[in-house]
C-alpha cells in the first residue's frame, strides 16, 4: 500500500525510527499537548467504568440481554445529540463546549458511585447514567474532533491522529487491566471513584485551552444546518465509505457485551480484565509503531483491508477454545481496528472544510460510536438465540462479507489518494495560503 512518492513533512526519519510515532504535533502545539494529556487521563478512568458497568449489570441481573441492552439505551441519545452536537461545535466556542460536557460527565460518574455504595444498588440508574453519558459524549466528541485541525498544522494531521489513538490505547490497556483487579478485590465503588477523580483532573486541564470560536462561515445550529452537513457527506462517496465500513465492522463484530460470558464459558473469570484490555493493547502496538502511516497515501484501501482483518480476528476469537488464543485474537483485532481508525481520521481531517467539521464529526460519531452500541444489542440478542461463541464468530464472518461488498459498491473509497484528491488538495492550499497571509501580516 505504500507508494514511492516522497514522504510528507510529517514522516519520521529513515531507519528504525521510521516506525516510531511522529511527535511533530506534540512539539509544535501547546494546546494539542494539553488536550492530549486531558484525554489520556479521562480515558483511563472511563475504561474503568467501561468494565465496571457491565460487570455490575451482570451481577444484578445475570442476564446477557440486560447487559447488551446498555448499548440500546445509549443509542438514541447518541444519534440525536451526536448530530446536534456537531451543529453546536460549528456554531459555538469549542473549548467552552468541551469544558461543560466534561464537567457533566463527572457528575454522572458521581451518580454511579453513590448507587454502587447503596446496600442494594438499583438497576435503573445504570441505564439512566448510560443514556445521559452517551448524550454528553455525543455533544462533546464533534467539538474535540473539529478542534484538532485548528491547533495542528495540516501536514501533521495524520501524525495527530496516531498520537490521539496512542492516548486512547494507553488508557484502554491500563484501565481495563486495573479494573479487573479493582472490581474483583476492592469493589465497584473504587472503580467509579477513580473515574470521578480523572474527570476532575481533565476539567482542570481543558480549562487552560485557548478559546476556539466559531468560524465566520459557520451556520447557526438548526435542522437546516444539520441537513447541510448531511448533504455534503452524501456528496463525498469516499467519506460515506469510511462511515459505512466502520459501521459494518462494529455492528457485526464488536464482542464487548459478551466478554463477561465468554470468560465464564472458558472457565477463566480471572481473564475478563485482560479481555477488555486486549483490544486496546493491540491498538497500542499499532500506535507505538505508527510512523509508517505517514508514508501511506491510499487511505481508503487501508480502511477496507483493516476492517476485513478485524472481522477475521473475531471469527478466530469465537472459534478457538484456549483463553490465551482468544486473548491473542482480540489483540490482533484491536490492532487492525486501530489501523482503520488512523486512516479514517486522516481522511476526515485532511479533506473536510473548517466550517463543516463539527457537523461532519457528528456524522462520524454515528459510524464509530453508534456501531459498537448497536453491536452490543446484536451480540446479546444473537447470543441469547444461539450461543455466546456463535454470536462472536458468525458476527465476524458477516463483517468480512459486508466490508467486501461495500468495497465493490464504493470505488471512490478504494481509489482515494491524499496527494491527488481534490478536497485534500483544496484544503491543503487553503491552509498554506492562510499561513502565508499570516506571515505577511506579521
Amino acid at each position: 500500500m505504500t507508494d514511492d512518492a516522497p514522504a510528507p513533512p510529517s514522516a519520521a526519519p529513515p531507519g528504525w525510527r521510521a516506525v516510531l510515532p511522529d511527535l511533530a504535533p506534540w512539539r509544535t502545539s501547546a494546546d494539542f499537548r494539553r488536550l492530549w494529556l486531558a484525554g489520556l487521563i479521562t480515558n483511563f478512568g472511563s475504561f474503568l467504568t467501561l468494565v465496571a458497568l457491565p460487570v455490575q449489570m451482570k451481577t444484578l441481573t445475570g442476564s446477557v440481554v440486560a447487559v447488551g441492552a446498555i448499548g440500546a439505551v445509549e443509542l438514541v441519545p447518541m444519534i440525536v445529540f451526536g448530530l446536534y452536537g456537531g451543529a453546536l461545535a460549528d456554531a459555538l466556542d469549542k473549548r467552552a463546549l468541551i469544558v461543560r460536557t466534561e464537567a457533566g460527565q463527572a457528575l454522572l460518574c458521581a451518580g454511579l458511585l453513590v448507587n454502587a455504595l447503596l446496600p442494594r444498588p438499583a438497576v435503573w440508574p445504570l441505564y439512566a447514567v448510560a443514556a445521559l453519558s452517551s448524550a454528553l459524549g455525543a455533544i462533546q466528541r464533534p467539538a474535540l474532533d473539529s478542534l484538532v485541525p485548528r491547533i495542528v498544522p495540516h501536514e501533521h494531521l495524520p501524525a495527530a491522529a496516531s498520537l490521539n489513538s496512542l492516548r486512547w490505547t494507553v488508557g484502554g490497556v491500563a484501565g481495563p487491566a486495573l479494573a479487573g483487579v479493582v472490581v474483583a478485590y476492592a469493589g465497584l465503588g473504587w472503580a467509579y471513584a477513580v473515574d470521578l477523580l480523572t474527570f476532575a483532573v481533565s476539567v482542570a486541564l481543558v480549562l487552560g485551552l485557548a478559546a476556539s470560536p466559531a468560524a465566520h462561515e459557520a451556520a447557526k445550529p438548526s435542522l437546516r444546518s444539520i441537513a447541510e452537513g448531511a448533504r455534503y457527506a452524501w456528496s463525498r462517496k469516499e467519506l460515506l465509505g469510511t462511515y459505512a465500513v466502520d459501521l459494518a465492522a462494529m455492528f457485526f463484530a464488536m464482542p464487548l457485551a459478551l466478554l463477561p460470558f465468554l470468560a465464564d464459558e472458558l472457565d477463566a473469570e480471572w481473564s475478563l480484565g485482560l479481555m477488555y484490555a486486549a483490544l486496546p493493547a493491540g491498538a497500542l502496538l499499532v500506535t507505538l509503531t505508527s510512523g509508517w502511516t505517514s508514508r501511506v497515501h491510499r487511505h481508503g484501501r487501508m480502511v477496507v483491508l483493516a476492517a476485513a482483518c478485524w472481522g477475521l480476528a473475531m471469527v478466530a476469537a469465537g472459534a478457538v477454545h484456549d483463553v490465551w488464543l482468544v486473548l491473542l485474537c482480540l489483540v490482533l483485532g484491536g490492532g487492525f481496528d486501530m489501523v482503520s481508525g488512523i486512516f479514517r481520521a486522516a481522511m476526515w481531517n485532511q479533506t473536510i472544510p473548517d466550517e463543516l467539521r463539527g457537523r461532519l464529526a457528528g456524522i462520524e460519531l454515528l459510524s464509530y460510536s453508534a456501531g459498537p452500541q448497536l453491536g452490543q444489542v446484536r451480540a446479546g440478542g444473537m447470543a441469547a438465540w444461539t450461543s455466546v461463541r456463535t454470536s462472536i464468530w458468525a458476527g465476524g464472518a458477516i463483517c468480512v462479507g459486508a466490508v467486501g461488498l461495500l468495497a465493490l459498491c464504493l470505488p471512490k473509497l478504494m481509489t482515494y489518494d491524499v496527494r491527488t484528491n481534490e478536497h485534500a488538495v483544496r484544503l491543503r492550499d487553503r491552509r498554506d495560503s492562510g499561513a502565508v497571509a499570516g506571515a505577511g501580516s506579521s
Side-chain angles (χ1 to χ4, degrees), residues 44 47-48 51 171-186 191 194 273-274 277:
F44 173 80
F47 274 106
L48 287 173
V51 174
V173 171
L178 180 60
V181 176
V182 171
V183 171
Y185 295 102
V194 174
L274 294 178

Side-chain angles (χ1 to χ4, degrees), residues 437-442:
S441 63
S442 61

